[in-house]
Amino acid sequence: MQELIYLGMIYEIVIIIIASILLVLIIRKYFEKRHRLTLYLFIIFLNFLFAIIFSWVSKVLVLYSGEEYIYNNTVPALDTPLTWIILRILDFRFSFFLITIAIFFSYILKVNVFEKGYNQTQKIIVIIYGSWTGFYSLIIYERGNTLLDVFAFLFLLIFVSMIYIPFMLRSIETYKSVNETFYKKAFLSLAIMSLCFMLVLFGFLIDRVFILLGSPGFTLFYFLAWSFVIVAMLGAYLGYINPKSKEK
């Protein structure tokens, strides 16, 4: 098991490095053109990057911390603020929370790209469901209770689907309707980004279900999940932000 955790830690370092490079390129483009949609993309990807970082920190804690409650689910943890934080890092709850924030900003991006304004009913639903998902991620938690973690993944998958299925469909629809090469690339990249973000949560959910069924975790779906973040960032950068384009 320790070998799998170590492999996951090394893998996530690579993902973090690639994501950081892409984020630097994105923020540089934003400062050049000051385009608001580019800023929204940066915020979305920044939250995903920190979600990966917290996931990496959890593995470092398991491998190198001497605290017994960190690697033994049967040992009661001390009820202190530091322990509260550490345990939620260990079980990816801070990562869930950051992904929830990224999804909410994705909704803002969707409205700014495709809508003339907010649909108030839809906005209320997104706020309420997003708040519940963030609350569940940080508060509804029990050390070693994999079923609660599965529900956390499920709530996130529902939330990301609520935002990104319409986002992807509108992107594909617009991609088919425009003729300019630049805009076709832009909307295609947003469609790819939408699909990849949904696949991130789907991959983690499947991995967690395998754990629930007795697997030690770190299945192929786990490694694919973070890879989809890089594909999403790369697609958005090359297609939408496009450093060689004079449009942005």
Side-chain angles (χ1 to χ4, degrees), residues 165-197:
I165 288 178
F167 200 144
M168 182 177 67
L169 294 177
R170 289 295 299 273
S171 297
I172 293 173
E173 179 184 337
T174 309
Y175 164 78
K176 292 178 178 178
S177 65
V178 298
N179 296 317
E180 296 87 346
T181 301
F182 171 78
Y183 289 108
K184 289 184 79 69
K185 288 174 62 179
F187 286 108
L188 180 60
S189 73
L190 292 177
I192 293 171
M193 182 188 75
S194 303
L195 176 62
C196 286
F197 281 153

Side-chain angles (χ1 to χ4, degrees), residues 51-66:
I52 302 169
I53 291 172
F54 274 114
S55 178
W56 177 80
V57 170
S58 74
K59 295 169 182 59
V60 173
L61 289 170
V62 170
L63 288 173
Y64 302 111
S65 174

Side-chain angles (χ1 to χ4, degrees), residues 110 125-126 129 157-167:
K110 170 183 171 292
I125 293 172
V126 169
Y129 189 84
L157 182 60
I158 292 171
F159 192 32
V160 78
S161 300
M162 283 171 53
I163 305 304
Y164 275 117
I165 288 178
F167 200 144

Side-chain angles (χ1 to χ4, degrees), residues 23 25-45 109 113 236-237 240-242 248:
L23 268 178
L25 295 175
I26 291 170
I27 197 63
R28 283 181 59 188
K29 181 57 62 175
Y30 169 72
F31 283 127
E32 285 178 15
K33 303 298 181 181
R34 301 284 177 175
H35 198 286
R36 186 172 56 179
L37 300 186
T38 303
L39 179 60
Y40 290 148
L41 279 173
F42 174 78
I43 294 172
I44 292 166
F45 292 143
L109 176 66
V113 171
Y237 180 73
Y240 177 75
I241 297 171
N242 197 355
K248 298 284 180 212

